[in-house]
Structure formats: structure tokens, C-alpha cells
Amino acid sequence: MKSGNRFYEIVLFLVTLLLAVVFFFPIFFNLMSAFKSNPEIMRDAIAFPKSLYLDSFKYLLTETDYPRAIVNSVILTVISIVFMILVIPMAGYAIERSSARWTKFVFLYFLAGMMIPFQAYMIPLFKELKMIGMYGHLAGPVIIYISGSVGFGALLYTSFLKGVPREIEESAEIDGCSKYGIFSRIVFPLLGPCTASMVVLNGLGIWNDFLMPMLVLPSGKPKTMIVEIFYYVGEFSSRWDMIFAGTAMSVVPILIVFLLLQKYFVKGIATGAIKG
């Protein structure tokens, strides 16, 4: 039995290692190619760079609208995440702790929104943005990102809150603490792993989103990092040095944030899944 378990452990380790290499290789290939010139990439794509070619980074940061695209990506991601943290935990708390019947219908309404693909209501949504004057402004994507994350966020928080003892809240209420005080001072700090999970998942989606900024933000002006990179992909020729350099600059911040929040992210997803 011990030898059999040892064999399965070795097989599991090898499979995990293989999957890790497969998933990490595109990132490694991108970071390696970011320091190569376009002729060098075309000549031998998988070779290591002969020297650190930094002209691509310099050109993107000084001669293009890429710095403004970086600012736009940061604004969209940070503002969207901040408002998600302010709104969605309270919505999940109200749904989970309320005994009113209508909250169940609201919860089902949120979940139903997750089942409808974005492409199905994309055109009516853009027309609505034009009607309210938010088409072509950063506020438009922010509102869409926040509203689009309510369903998954409410599901995540309600699942996590099932494991938070009500006795803690009842004790605070006896001591004279208001509902808002109970949530902000007692409940919300306990939702740290769940909040980290939501920040990582939604932050990755917003930062890497291509379709929304491409369609909503005005043409001819700086958009987001991913959209600006797309402009270097041509029908007959592409500036691969610019593409890889821009992609590298967009990947590094996300990797840093994910590594910092990794343990909270895994804990929040695992705990929410068990308690749900």
C-alpha cells in the first residue's frame, strides 16, 4: 500500500509539474521576447535574447499613447474594485442575513444575470450608455464592470457568510451597535479572504479585458493597455517587439498582486466552496 501511494504521489507530482510548465511557458516566452528586437524575434522566436534590447520599452513609453493607456487601465481597475468592495459585500450580507422573501428573489435575479452572456446584450447596453451620456467615457466601463460582478460577488459572499456565527452579531447588537456598525466593524473584517478572492478574480478580468474598452471608449484616443497592444497587430506585418514589450508591462503588475494575495485568494475560494 505504501509503495502504491508513493507511486501515485510521484505521478501526481509529475502531472502537476507538467501542467505548471505548460501554463508558465507563455509567460516565460513573452518576457523573454520582450527584450528582443523585431528582426531577432522573426529570425528565431524561441532563442534567448543575445542582449537586453530595451528600445521597445523606450519607444512605447516616450513615442506612443501607451503611458496614457496604462493610466486608463489603472483607473478602470482600481475604481471598479473599490466600488465593488463598497457595494457587493453589503449586498451579500443583506441577502444572507435578511429573512424577507423578496431578498431571495433579488438573489435569484443576480444569479440569473450570470447566465446571460455579455454578447447577448452588448449592443443594447452600448445604446443605453449613449442615451445616458456615458459612451466614450471611463465611467461607462466602470459601471458595467461593477454591475456585471454583483451576481458572482453576491454568491461568493453569501456562501462565505454561512460560516460566520450569528452570535457575534447578536452580541454586538445587544451592546447597542447599529446594523451598519456590526457590518463595518465586525463582519467585514472577517470577510478578508473572500474580499481578496473577489479582488483577484475581478481585477484580472478588468485588467485583461479587451472587448469592453475596445467598443466603449472613443476611437482615435488612448484606451487601455491591452487595446493599445492590439494596434501593433497588422494584417500583413506585426511589430512583435512592441507587442511583447507592451504585454510584459501589462503582465508584471498582475503577477505581483496575485503573488501578494495568493494565500488569501485560495483560502477565500476554498472556504466559500465548502461553506456554500
Side-chain angles (χ1 to χ4, degrees):
M1 291 294 295
K2 291 184 178 180
S3 60
N5 292 336
R6 182 64 176 174
F7 173 76
Y8 285 118
E9 290 178 359
I10 294 174
V11 172
L12 181 61
F13 173 77
L14 293 176
V15 172
T16 305
L17 181 62
L18 177 62
L19 292 176
V21 172
V22 170
F23 279 97
F24 180 74
F25 180 76
I27 300 176
F28 172 75
F29 176 76
N30 181 90
L31 295 177
M32 179 183 66
S33 301
F35 297 97
K36 299 165 64 176
S37 63
N38 199 55
E40 190 176 358
I41 296 173
M42 299 298 294
R43 184 167 53 252
D44 192 351
I46 62 174
F48 284 93
K50 297 180 180 179
S51 60
L52 292 181
Y53 182 79
L54 301 177
D55 289 352
S56 301
F57 294 94
K58 181 179 178 181
Y59 181 82
L60 283 175
L61 295 175
T62 59
E63 304 295 334
T64 67
D65 293 327
Y66 200 72
R68 180 59 189 175
I70 297 175
V71 175
N72 288 344
S73 295
V74 172
I75 291 175
L76 284 178
T77 305
V78 173
I79 294 181
S80 300
I81 293 298
V82 168
F83 278 97
M84 288 178 191
I85 295 174
L86 293 176
V87 174
I88 297 178
M90 288 191 289
Y93 177 73
I95 292 172
E96 173 58 28
R97 292 298 190 252
S98 177
S99 57
R101 292 184 177 181
W102 63 270
T103 56
K104 295 182 180 179
F105 291 101
V106 172
F107 186 50
L108 291 176
Y109 176 76
F110 288 158
L111 295 182
M114 298 173 57
M115 303 176 188
I116 304 175
F118 172 72
Q119 290 78 7
Y121 58 87
M122 179 175 63
I123 296 177
L125 182 63
F126 293 155
K127 290 185 177 180
E128 185 177 353
L129 288 178
K130 286 186 176 181
M131 291 174 59
I132 62 179
M134 288 189 177
Y135 185 84
H137 300 281
L138 291 177
V142 169
I143 293 176
I144 295 175
Y145 288 140
I146 296 172
S147 59
S149 63
V150 171
F152 175 76
L155 176 63
L156 190 64
Y157 277 101
T158 52
S159 300
F160 193 89
L161 282 165
K162 294 181 186 298
V164 178
R166 292 177 181 262
E167 290 78 9
I168 301 176
E169 304 169 41
E170 294 173 354
S171 300
E173 189 173 3
I174 293 174
D175 292 336
C177 191
S178 63
K179 287 290 185 182
Y180 179 77
I182 293 173
F183 173 78
S184 60
R185 299 178 183 178
I186 298 174
V187 177
F188 185 72
L190 298 176
L191 302 177
C194 188
T195 302
S197 301
M198 189 187 68
V199 169
V200 172
L201 289 174
N202 289 287
L204 283 172
I206 296 171
W207 185 268
N208 295 321
D209 189 21
F210 173 79
L211 184 60
M212 182 71 66
M214 181 70 179
L215 298 177
V216 174
L217 297 181
S219 60
K221 294 183 179 180
K223 297 192 178 185
T224 60
M225 300 175 70
I226 304 300
V227 179
E228 289 294 323
I229 294 171
F230 175 72
Y231 290 148
Y232 290 97
V233 179
E235 182 178 0
F236 300 103
S237 62
S238 301
R239 289 296 306 272
W240 294 109
D241 53 342
M242 301 298 173
I243 295 172
F244 286 123
T247 306
M249 284 190 284
S250 68
V251 168
V252 171
I254 289 296
L255 288 177
I256 294 174
V257 172
F258 180 77
L259 292 175
L260 292 176
L261 300 178
Q262 181 182 12
K263 63 177 182 179
Y264 303 103
F265 168 72
V266 174
K267 182 179 179 182
I269 291 294
T271 307
I274 294 173
K275 293 174 181 177

